[in-house]
């Protein structure tokens, strides 16, 4: 069974900023879902290159946009997450959309934003991956080498992406 991956803006942007979506395409092509709020965030006119690169994924059918219709289970959850109902902290539109869709469609949430999503990932039993896990999977499948991973990791850090270690090698060691 192949599950869709619902990307939040931060996780997808890590790859878009460095102009390298090849790993995503090889690992998850056709299963990459951009919740509509994520695509809207990527459409910021101050950074048009992000939308252009996302559009390239869409044109190749490696990724698809998924809206959240009103009067649906995912919409109800999306609004609750945005508003911080049930005693939980309010989160951003991209994270909320990713969580709502991953939960509703039994998919995988791709997000780097642990602080905002951890309580919901646990609460709803959502499977979760982040940029480090994606790179580690690419390494394990022979798509990249550890050296490649370090270069990619550093490019992401240079673009102010928040990652959990100083290098990909450090990340791998922390997961042993």
């Amino acid at each position: 069974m192949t599950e869709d991956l619902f990307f939040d803006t931060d996780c997808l942007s890590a790859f878009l900023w460095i102009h390298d979506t090849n790993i995503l395409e090889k690992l998850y092509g056709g299963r990459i879902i951009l919740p509509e709020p994520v695509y809207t965030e990527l459409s910021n006119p101050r950074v048009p290159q992000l939308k252009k690169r996302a559009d390239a994924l869409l044109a190749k059918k490696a990724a698809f946009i998924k809206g959240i219709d009103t009067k649906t289970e995912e919409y109800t959850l999306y609004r609750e997450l945005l508003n911080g109902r049930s005693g939980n902290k309010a989160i951003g539109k991209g994270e909320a959309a990713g969580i709502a869709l991953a939960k509703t469609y039994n998919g995988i949430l791709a997000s780097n934003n642990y602080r905002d999503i951890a309580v919901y990932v646990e609460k709803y039993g959502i499977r979760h991956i982040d940029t480090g896990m994606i790179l580690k999977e690419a390494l394990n499948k022979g798509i990249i080498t550890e050296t490649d991973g370090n270069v990619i990791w550093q490019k992401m850090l240079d673009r102010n992406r928040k990652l959990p270690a100083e290098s990909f090698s450090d990340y791998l060691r922390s997961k042993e």
Side-chain angles (χ1 to χ4, degrees):
M1 180 179 189
T2 58
E3 292 103 352
D4 288 332
L5 290 97
F6 296 89
F7 276 78
D8 77 1
T9 307
D10 185 60
C11 191
L12 183 61
S13 292
F15 293 91
L16 296 176
W17 271 111
I18 66 166
H19 200 7
D20 189 351
T21 57
N22 192 35
I23 292 167
L24 298 178
E25 292 174 54
K26 287 182 179 179
L27 290 174
Y28 314 119
R31 300 186 302 131
I32 300 167
I33 307 298
L34 309 182
E36 196 167 32
V38 168
Y39 185 72
T40 299
E41 288 176 355
L42 294 171
S43 300
N44 183 330
R46 293 182 309 173
V47 284
Q49 66 272 25
L50 296 183
K51 181 181 181 299
K52 182 179 177 181
R53 294 171 190 158
D55 286 343
L57 284 172
L58 295 166
K60 294 179 195 176
K61 301 208 182 303
F64 299 91
I65 296 173
K66 175 81 174 125
I68 298 178
D69 296 325
T70 58
K71 298 184 183 180
T72 61
E73 176 186 344
E74 63 263 28
Y75 182 77
T76 300
L77 179 55
Y78 173 69
R79 297 301 304 170
E80 287 176 9
L81 296 170
L82 283 178
N83 296 320
R85 292 192 192 131
S86 305
N88 292 314
K89 169 179 153 179
I91 59 175
K93 290 179 181 179
E95 291 91 355
I99 290 168
L101 291 169
K103 178 188 179 294
T104 302
Y105 295 102
N106 196 30
I108 301 166
L109 176 65
S111 176
N112 293 340
N113 196 345
Y114 288 114
R115 188 179 58 227
D116 287 349
I117 66 162
V119 67
Y120 300 113
V121 166
E122 184 175 328
K123 179 177 182 177
Y124 299 119
I126 298 170
R127 288 167 293 156
H128 168 255
I129 63 171
D130 62 24
T131 297
M133 293 171 179
I134 292 167
L135 292 176
K136 184 176 179 183
E137 184 177 350
L139 173 68
N140 292 341
K141 291 188 175 181
I143 296 170
I144 63 170
T145 64
E146 186 171 338
T147 300
D148 295 332
N150 281 311
V151 169
I152 292 165
W153 196 274
Q154 187 58 54
K155 286 180 181 178
M156 289 176 178
L157 289 174
D158 290 346
R159 296 302 303 194
N160 296 319
R161 302 296 91 200
K162 292 179 182 169
L163 299 173
E166 293 296 316
S167 70
F168 182 55
S169 293
D170 290 343
Y171 173 82
L172 292 174
R173 279 191 290 279
S174 75
K175 299 300 178 184
E176 291 176 344

